[in-house]
Amino acid sequence: MRFFYGWVMLAVAILGLFACYTGQSVGIAVFNPSFRESLDLNHSQVAGAYGVATLLAGGAAFITGAVSDRFGIRRTMTVVVILMGGACIFMLGVHGLISLFFAFLFLRILGHGALPLLVDNTLAMWFHRRLGLVYCVKNIAAAGAVAAIPTLNLWLIHNYGWQRAYAILGIAVWVVMLPLLLFVYRNRPEDVGQCLDGIADTDPHPASEPDSGFRAGSAESANFDLRGALRTRSFWIMIAGNMVTGMVWAGTVFNIVPLFESYGFTDQQAAATMALFAIFMAALQPLAGFLTDRLPLNLLLSVSAAAVTAAMAILLSMNTIWMAHLFAVIFGFGNGLRQVVDSTLWPRYFGRNHLGKIRGCALTAIVVGSSAGPLLLGKSYDHFKSFDISIYILLGANALLAVVCLFVTRPR
């Protein structure tokens, strides 16, 4: 039996995923004290620059998707990786608020908009029936990155300074990713004489398949273009859900230390809680992958939103370390389940032919939400000396999302 090259592509995608975190909230957050101390900035200035840069970067995913649809993921990712390393090295020239804003802008365009889209679409080009399992593996790696990368970045900062630390990360992105893209990466299984999932008789829509499209064996019932996707109810509910998810994730992670300190916890306890969150999210991935291959995706989306709603409720009344741990577990469950379902749903509902543009819109929504989250929490604290108002808003948005996600059915 011939070895399926898709497993090699999974390994390449995971390494690309790690490269993304140089431009994501988890990787950037530990640099915040260095930004403020070195550049003589306050919390609002740093959060404001980050939020505006994230908002302006919102269109990057859509543009990247359109470019990758036309020129292929391999060429597009090569350009993005070259620019990503350069954006990290640009930190060497940051000396004030304006240059920090442009550094954030470059990092968010590439690390939060372009590269994650290309990583996800890489897997969608190679897998379908095993897509839930594959995204499960990828998301376990993502959870490991959430736990490991802040610690790595802190070590680099302490040993080389924050600007050199970022330059080292940029060079590492080049050294690891460029040889893989030049010599290993392939766009589709057809490029190496193989088929989707490595199964020669893969049928994109078996005649005996029920219309629900939720079973592991179901593939796309049609290849929607962007215009067709825009006419579906499920597309717009997913877009709204991605915005809410981005707000919750970025707002909570970017402000995790001041958020926990406002409830009487230390920064060490905040970091330990994030590590617990990452560990639980990783442990959940096999179950989430199993469920996405066997249960209705709209039901799983609703469950994930309900879990995040419960986590926000716990956060509002968090006064012991055990409640903080419970918050981490439930928050990890909700976000981990959402990750796998979201990654699986787009190719299964809308097909592969125009996946770049369609998923580009979805990731743009996450980026826009991510720009609003830190600002929402920051403004809440500045005006009310408490994060509670912003947490109530996030709780209400997720509660509504838990209901409307039930209507994310497979489009015809």
Side-chain angles (χ1 to χ4, degrees), residues 8-82:
V8 175
M9 295 305 301
L10 173 59
V12 174
I14 287 173
L15 291 172
L17 176 72
F18 275 77
C20 297
Y21 279 92
T22 55
Q24 297 205 14
S25 299
V26 171
I28 295 175
V30 297
F31 286 89
N32 283 349
S34 300
F35 296 150
R36 294 194 302 270
E37 293 170 10
S38 176
L39 305 177
D40 193 25
L41 302 174
N42 58 38
H43 288 271
S44 297
Q45 288 173 314
V46 174
Y50 183 80
V52 174
T54 301
L55 180 62
L56 293 178
F62 177 78
I63 296 172
T64 302
V67 171
S68 66
D69 283 345
R70 180 170 183 179
F71 297 103
I73 299 177
R74 181 185 182 185
R75 291 180 182 178
T76 309
M77 188 180 289
T78 301
V79 173
V80 169
V81 164
I82 292 172

Side-chain angles (χ1 to χ4, degrees), residues 30 50 99 120 169 174 207 238 256 273 278 358:
V30 297
Y50 183 80
S99 54
D120 274 358
L169 292 173
W174 284 345
M238 287 297 297
I256 189 67
T273 301
I358 292 172

Side-chain angles (χ1 to χ4, degrees), residues 238-266:
M238 287 297 297
I239 291 295
N242 283 2
M243 291 185 66
V244 172
T245 299
M247 288 178 62
V248 174
W249 171 257
T252 303
V253 171
F254 192 79
N255 294 283
I256 189 67
V257 174
L259 183 61
F260 267 58
E261 287 177 343
S262 72
Y263 291 121
F265 297 94
T266 65

